[in-house]
């Protein structure tokens, strides 16, 4: 949003992330929150992220609030609401410090009496697993305080966020206090949970048991046990002696609050928008790629998977709504690639017509997550994937044996996995990634079965003559709340699973497969503790973040377990209390939240797991007569029938897909010349091209179905080098459109010229100079004209010295000429053919120019010239971080005539004119490039 609207807004909403911009900018969660919020009239939305480590240090030293609006640069305190999006458990480690060092009191009771402090609301995928945020703190100098957040929105926010913002906006206009506004949200905002309105009661219990000893009574407390299983009871997990309080009850403090709080859910996805309008994030890999949520929830009952249980029932968006959303998202985000967002895309009823329609309207379709069992019965899908260019496939096998897959309720046999792999290898996919889970229950027969399978897979690759890159990725089992495994002993964090990892790794590598481990023991241990933890862990969280200053940046150090065990001991707690097995009637810290699946059903499925039994999932599919399992998530019989009688659409003829693929080869190119402002010099060059495509489609909506991609743009450095391109000035972009019947009348020079001003209104930080219709490829650049503005502490003599060093180091023979206030490095004529620099001139900056630099340098360089290497010559190793302070303006791009074409000589120097003008600063008539620069540019800039 335009920062100028901030002061005019009725309500200011800051969407806050607990991770860095680089890590989560491409996540759809905060963008979707912003899209929903902007639909409420009068709401201004901005974003804030965890600063990266070096920025964090500078900001703390300078007393700059850590959470700053990226658009407004306003501190968190300037907003009315902070909406915290929490995606995964470990992010919670950062919350206390981000609040504290953003000038926000970390406790709710302190915030409620301060009208100048915003409301703190938390939501996101992990919102239902945040008990550790809500407890009291009576030590560490914090007195008797409670509540790191004011309220939580549990579940899906498409309706709930709007409801909440409307109530806050109205309450603010009426002058209500924050406490009064929160009170009015109960019963009116779906999934609204105010933690301090629920009392969690604890009493002393005594524990000293193993899994075999569970069930003995100690005092008045039943020590819970799972149903007996010989297989599990053979594996004894010792849990240390513990005398501590346990949670025995949850009581609502007020009569007007719901108990339990039912998570918000959107039963009809067609009533809400998918992710359509969002900022263009400065992430080079994701620019032009957007996600379209085709379904929500999961029809399967994998015992380990939170999404299988927290997001039920399974729901789909209809194809007409998806097409409507696709066209809107394509225009608002400049998309050429769409990712079908789903927990398993191949469960969607309209998958095939969807693929056909989307492929016709976008350059690429990204299909990521799918089930092996469905793939094993659908060879046609593999052929479709090949035609649309999908060469990387990811699937979950999970358990290394069928016994362990039954324990995990995966509903997957070895033959299904093998058959799916056979289809994939036959079609020549490039990469297959198979996800595994180590359960801690692996026995020798499981490893033998896995080795037999991997050898079989290797033989299949050889038989199919496949060069597919096969990767097995192993993750320790996470016992997620709200799933059947919440009752289970957390074996994978109580025991060292290195032996399991080493055995699986050995088997994979023995048969030519790659192996990866996706989580360390420290990450698993702390994730499990924070997830299973109750409100008594809040002091430890605050101590870790503020007192001890720990910030989570995708890594948990080795000493973390020791540190947190110290916290637990000082609080009179133990890991054994949280990681032990729980009984049927155990009270969990999240029992005041209802996500739809009954606790009774979770227990029944847990008992099936520990007996290595499973039931088929409830989604109707070919050759399977599905039945409702009675989980309780579906609100009506009609919803149950919709899932159990689910019917996949019939495949289309492959000839239709081939026809679309062939028609995409016929494209027209709209070339545009853009002038990038200095403020945008650190932005990826591709960003500007995507922004222009977006502007064009928003201005001329009729071209949206025909837009194909940003087919090319000029980069001011060698594309094979991993260097940063931070130039500004002239750049050239080619936008490709499908050559169809109406495109000629929509995109001709006259219509584009007439709409140029309207298109420009959607552009910030750059100016479109002109459009050129061109069917050719991207410009063949041989030379680039730069103007370099140096730091103010660089003297002329220093620049001359370093320029000479650079030219000598790159074997550029030259002559140094000094004329008045100009220094010229004239490259010898015989050396120009292979030189990286063809001409250099140092000048004194004119007082009329808006530049802090005293000197600037004009340079004509070959395309293989590397900016970073050049600048490192000047700054050296010690000042290498200052490279980006140099301002480099691209003034023009030039090609080259073939060597045999030497018909025209330069009237100034007499040499043949070998260069051709492409974009930017043109030649002087009958002058070569070098003489044009000397005659034209020097006089222009002095």
């Amino acid at each position: 949003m335009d920062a100028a609207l901030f002061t005019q807004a009725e309500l200011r909403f800051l969407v806050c992330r607990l991770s860095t911009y680089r890590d989560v900018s491409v996540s759809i969660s905060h963008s979707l929150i912003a899209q929903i919020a902007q639909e409420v009239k009068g709401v201004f939305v901005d974003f804030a992220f965890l600063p990266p480590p070096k920025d964090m240090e500078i900001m703390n030293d300078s007393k700059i609030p850590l959470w700053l609006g990226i658009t407004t640069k306003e501190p968190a305190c300037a907003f009315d609401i902070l909406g915290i999006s929490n995606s995964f458990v470990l992010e919670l480690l950062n919350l206390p410090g981000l609040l504290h060092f953003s000038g926000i009191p970390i406790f709710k009771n302190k915030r409620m009496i301060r009208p100048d402090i915003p409301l703190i609301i938390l939501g996101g995928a992990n919102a239902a697993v945040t008990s550790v945020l809500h407890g009291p703190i009576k030590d560490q100098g914090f007195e008797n305080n409670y509540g790191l957040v004011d309220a939580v929105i549990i579940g899906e926010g498409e309706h709930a966020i709007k409801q909440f913002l409307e109530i806050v906006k109205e309450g603010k206009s009426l002058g209500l206090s924050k406490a009064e506004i929160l009170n009015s949200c109960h019963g009116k905002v779906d999934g609204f949970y105010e933690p301090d309105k629920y009392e969690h009661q604890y009493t002393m219990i005594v524990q000293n048991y193993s899994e075999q000893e569970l069930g003995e009574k100690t005092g008045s407390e039943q020590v819970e046990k799972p149903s007996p299983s010989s297989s599990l009871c053979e594996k004894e997990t010792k849990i240390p002696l513990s005398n501590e309080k346990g949670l025995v009850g949850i009581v609502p403090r007020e009569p007007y609050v719901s108990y339990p709080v039912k998570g918000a859910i959107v039963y009809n996805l067609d009533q809400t928008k998918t992710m359509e309008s969002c900022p263009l994030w400065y992430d080079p890999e994701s620019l032009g790629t957007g996600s379209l949520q085709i379904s929500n929830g999961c029809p399967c009952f994998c015992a380990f998977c939170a999404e299988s249980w927290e997001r039920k029932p399974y729901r789909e968006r209809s194809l007409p709504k998806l097409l409507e959303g696709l066209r809107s998202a394509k225009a608002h985000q400049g998309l050429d690639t769409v990712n079908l967002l789903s927990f398993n895309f191949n469960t969607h009823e309209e998958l095939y017509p969807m693929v056909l329609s989307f492929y016709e309207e976008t350059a690429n379709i990204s299909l990521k997550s799918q089930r092996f069992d469905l793939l094993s019965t659908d060879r046609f899908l593999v052929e479709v994937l090949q035609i649309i260019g999908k060469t990387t496939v990811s699937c979950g096998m999970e358990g290394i044996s069928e016994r362990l897959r039954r324990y995990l309720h995966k509903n997957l046999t070895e033959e299904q996995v093998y058959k799916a792999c056979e289809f994939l290898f036959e079609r020549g996919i490039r990469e297959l990634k198979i996800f595994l889970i180590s359960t801690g229950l692996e026995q020798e027969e499981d490893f033998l079965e896995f080795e037999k399978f991997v050898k079989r897979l290797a033989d299949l690759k050889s038989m199919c003559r496949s060069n597919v890159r096969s990767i097995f990725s192993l993750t320790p089992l996470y016992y997620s709340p709200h799933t059947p495994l919440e009752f289970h002993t957390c074996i994978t964090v109580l025991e060292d699973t290195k032996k399991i990892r080493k055995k699986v790794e050995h088997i994979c590598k023995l048969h030519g497969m790659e192996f990866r481990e996706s989580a360390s023991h420290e990450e698993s241990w702390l994730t499990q503790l924070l997830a299973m933890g109750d409100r008594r862990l809040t002091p430890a969280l605050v101590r870790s973040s503020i007192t001890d200053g720990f910030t989570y940046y995708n890594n948990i150090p080795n000493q973390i377990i020791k540190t947190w065990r110290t916290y637990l001991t000082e609080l009179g707690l133990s890991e054994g209390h949280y990681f032990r097995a729980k009984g049927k009637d155990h009270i969990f810290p999240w029992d005041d939240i209802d996500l739809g699946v009954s606790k009774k059903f979770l227990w029944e499925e847990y008992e099936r797991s520990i007996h290595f039994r499973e039931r088929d999932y409830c989604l109707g599919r070919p050759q399977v007569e599905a039945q409702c399992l009675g989980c309780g998530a579906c609100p009506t019989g009609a919803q149950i029938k919709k899932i159990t009688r689910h019917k996949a659409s019939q495949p289309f003829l492959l000839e239709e897909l081939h026809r679309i693929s062939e028609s995409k080869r016929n494209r027209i190119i709209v070339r545009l010349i853009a002038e990038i402002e200095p403020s945008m010099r650190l932005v990826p060059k591709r960003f500007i091209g995507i922004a222009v495509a977006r502007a064009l489609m928003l201005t001329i909506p009729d071209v949206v179905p025909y837009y194909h991609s940003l087919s090319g743009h000029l980069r001011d450095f060698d594309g094979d080098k991993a260097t940063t391109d931070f130039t500004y000035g002239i750049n050239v972009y080619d936008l490709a459109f499908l050559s169809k019947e109406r495109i000629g009348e929509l995109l001709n020079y006259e219509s584009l010229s007439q709409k140029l001003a309207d298109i420009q209104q959607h552009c910030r930080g750059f100016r479109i100079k002109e459009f050129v219709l061109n069917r050719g490829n991207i410009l063949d650049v041989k030379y680039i004209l730069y103007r370099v503005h140096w730091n103010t502490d660089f003297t002329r003599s220093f620049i001359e010295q370093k320029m000479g060093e650079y030219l000598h180091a790159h074997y550029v023979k030259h002559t140094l000429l000094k004329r008045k206030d100009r220094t010229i490095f004239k490259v010898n004529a015989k050396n120009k053919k292979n030189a990286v620099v063809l001409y250099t001139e140092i000048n004194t900056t004119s007082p009329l120019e808006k530049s802090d630099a005293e000197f600037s340098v004009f340079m004509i360089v070959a395309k293989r010239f590397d900016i970073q290497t050049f600048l490192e010559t000047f700054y050296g190793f010690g000042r290498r971080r200052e490279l980006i302070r140099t301002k480099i303006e691209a003034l023009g791009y030039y090609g080259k005539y073939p060597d045999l074409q030497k018909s025209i000589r330069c009237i100034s120097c007499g040499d043949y004119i070998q260069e051709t003008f492409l974009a930017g600063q043109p030649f002087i008539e009958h002058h070569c490039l070098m003489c044009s620069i000397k005659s034209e540019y020097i006089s222009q800039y002095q």
Side-chain angles (χ1 to χ4, degrees), residues 13 18 75 101 116 160 180 206 217 275 296 327 378 395 429 522 615 626 659 701 768-769:
F13 184 35
L18 301 169
F101 293 108
D116 59 317
E180 290 171 326
V206 179
K217 289 189 177 183
M275 182 66 255
N296 205 347
R327 288 162 186 161
D378 195 354
C395 290
I429 65 161
E522 290 77 17
R615 296 185 290 177
R659 176 188 57 78
I768 301 172
K769 294 178 71 70

Side-chain angles (χ1 to χ4, degrees), residues 103-238:
I104 306 288
I106 65 172
F107 302 114
K108 179 177 180 179
N109 52 298
K110 299 288 187 183
R111 293 190 295 264
M112 286 295 102
I113 59 176
R114 296 265 309 268
D116 59 317
I117 297 298
L119 287 167
I120 312 296
I121 309 299
L122 184 137
N126 190 60
V129 190
T130 56
S131 299
V132 295
L133 300 182
H134 311 317
I137 295 184
K138 298 182 181 180
D139 54 7
Q140 302 180 49
F142 291 119
E143 301 177 355
N144 191 8
N145 297 298
Y146 61 88
L148 296 180
V149 298
D150 300 335
V152 181
I153 292 180
I154 305 291
E156 298 164 11
E158 283 84 348
H159 296 318
I161 292 172
K162 290 182 188 178
Q163 294 164 350
F164 176 73
L165 293 176
E166 291 284 9
I167 289 175
V168 176
K169 187 176 72 168
E170 182 182 4
K172 182 184 176 184
S173 68
L174 295 174
L176 300 182
S177 69
K178 290 190 288 186
E180 290 171 326
I181 290 172
L182 292 177
N183 288 346
S184 62
C185 291
H186 291 277
K188 297 179 182 178
V189 177
D190 298 342
F192 187 77
Y193 173 59
E194 198 173 357
D196 60 297
K197 295 295 189 287
Y198 302 84
E199 180 185 358
H200 285 217
Q201 301 174 338
Y202 300 87
T203 191
M204 184 66 70
I205 61 173
V206 179
Q207 301 164 7
N208 183 19
Y209 49 83
S210 69
E211 283 193 5
Q212 290 178 323
E213 298 161 345
L214 293 172
E216 298 175 357
K217 289 189 177 183
T218 306
S220 61
E221 177 75 3
Q222 171 81 33
V223 180
E224 306 100 340
K225 64 175 182 177
S227 295
S229 165
S230 60
S231 298
L232 279 181
C233 288
E234 289 172 4
K235 185 176 183 65
E236 186 177 314
T237 302
K238 291 291 184 182

Side-chain angles (χ1 to χ4, degrees), residues 244-427:
E244 60 190 47
K245 291 183 178 180
L247 181 63
V248 295
I250 301 177
V251 180
R253 296 180 187 272
E254 303 290 348
Y256 56 81
V257 302
S258 301
Y259 179 74
V261 174
K262 186 170 178 57
I265 189 165
V266 179
Y267 288 108
N268 186 351
L269 296 185
D270 282 355
Q271 293 179 350
T272 61
K273 290 183 179 180
T274 183
M275 182 66 255
E276 296 175 13
S277 175
C278 73
L280 300 184
W281 302 104
Y282 302 134
D283 181 77
E285 294 183 3
S286 66
L287 283 168
T289 300
S291 294
L292 206 66
Q293 188 185 43
I294 65 172
S295 63
N296 205 347
C298 181
C300 306
F301 290 86
C302 302
F304 60 91
C305 181
E307 287 81 6
S308 290
W309 304 91
E310 294 180 358
R311 302 290 186 88
K312 288 190 182 307
Y314 175 69
R315 293 143 289 148
E316 297 178 346
R317 273 194 174 86
S318 67
L319 182 55
K321 284 293 181 181
L322 285 169
L323 280 171
E324 182 182 318
L326 170 66
R327 288 162 186 161
S328 176
K330 190 176 175 183
H332 283 90
Q333 301 174 53
L335 301 184
D336 54 44
T337 300
V338 60
N339 170 37
L340 303 189
L341 189 63
S342 172
F343 296 125
N344 296 289
F345 74 82
N346 55 350
T347 58
H348 198 285
E349 191 170 49
E350 297 179 284
L351 174 65
Y352 285 115
M354 185 196 314
V355 169
L356 195 68
S357 301
F358 282 20
Y359 189 57
E360 190 166 19
E361 296 206 11
T362 58
N364 305 292
I365 303 176
S366 177
L367 306 166
K368 291 188 176 179
S369 181
Q370 56 185 309
R371 288 187 60 91
F372 262 134
D373 59 327
L374 297 179
L375 191 61
S376 69
T377 61
D378 195 354
R379 182 193 294 266
F380 184 82
L381 178 58
V382 181
E383 296 182 43
V384 169
L385 296 178
Q386 183 185 42
I387 295 172
I388 66 175
K390 177 68 174 174
T391 60
T392 301
V393 174
S394 300
C395 290
M397 177 174 161
E398 319 307 0
I400 64 171
S401 67
E402 291 195 3
R403 182 182 79 98
L404 294 175
R405 288 194 288 277
R406 288 195 299 273
Y407 163 73
L408 296 170
H409 291 182
K410 187 62 184 174
N411 294 113
L412 182 65
T413 66
E414 180 178 307
E415 285 306 311
Q416 288 174 319
V417 178
Y418 184 84
K419 194 66 177 177
C421 290
E422 182 181 356
F423 292 163
L424 294 169
F425 293 170
E426 287 175 348
R427 303 308 298 185

Side-chain angles (χ1 to χ4, degrees), residues 702-858:
D702 287 346
V703 306
V704 172
Y706 307 112
Y707 174 68
H708 183 268
S709 62
L710 172 63
S711 64
H713 64 285
L714 294 182
R715 304 178 70 184
D716 298 333
F717 60 94
D718 190 337
D720 295 331
K721 293 181 179 286
T723 56
T724 303
D725 177 11
F726 44 84
T727 62
Y728 64 100
I730 300 298
N731 210 298
V732 182
Y733 296 88
D734 279 1
L735 304 180
F737 292 82
L738 301 180
S739 183
K740 293 190 175 181
E741 59 280 354
R742 290 196 60 206
I743 199 66
E745 65 181 79
L746 293 171
L747 296 178
N748 55 63
Y749 183 78
E750 183 178 353
S751 64
L752 288 173
S753 299
Q754 290 174 350
K755 295 181 181 294
L756 182 57
D758 295 331
I759 296 171
Q760 186 65 50
Q761 288 183 354
H762 295 286
C763 304
R764 295 180 187 174
F766 64 94
R767 183 170 63 91
I768 301 172
K769 294 178 71 70
E770 64 174 319
F771 285 104
V772 180
L773 293 180
N774 190 312
R775 294 179 180 270
N777 295 322
I778 193 66
L779 304 177
D780 186 14
V781 174
K782 298 297 183 185
Y783 311 111
I784 307 172
L785 173 61
Y786 286 136
R787 190 185 191 207
V788 183
H789 299 268
W790 296 105
N791 285 359
T792 54
D793 60 344
F794 281 11
T795 64
R796 178 188 287 272
S797 60
F798 176 80
I799 297 172
E800 291 174 357
Q801 175 195 337
K802 292 299 179 180
M803 183 64 70
E805 289 178 12
Y806 176 81
L807 295 177
H808 282 297
H810 289 79
Y811 307 102
V812 180
K813 294 181 179 180
H814 62 280
T815 303
L816 180 63
L817 304 173
K818 292 194 175 184
R819 299 172 180 172
K820 295 183 181 180
D821 57 351
R822 293 188 292 167
T823 303
I824 299 172
F825 292 82
K826 184 178 180 181
V827 178
N828 297 352
K830 292 182 179 180
N831 193 233
K832 285 182 179 180
K833 183 175 181 180
N834 298 316
V836 292
V837 177
L838 282 74
Y839 181 84
T840 301
E841 186 164 331
I842 304 172
N843 293 275
T844 303
T845 305
S846 169
L848 299 177
E849 296 181 55
K850 295 179 180 180
S851 175
D852 296 330
E854 185 177 353
F855 302 101
S856 60
V857 178
F858 288 94

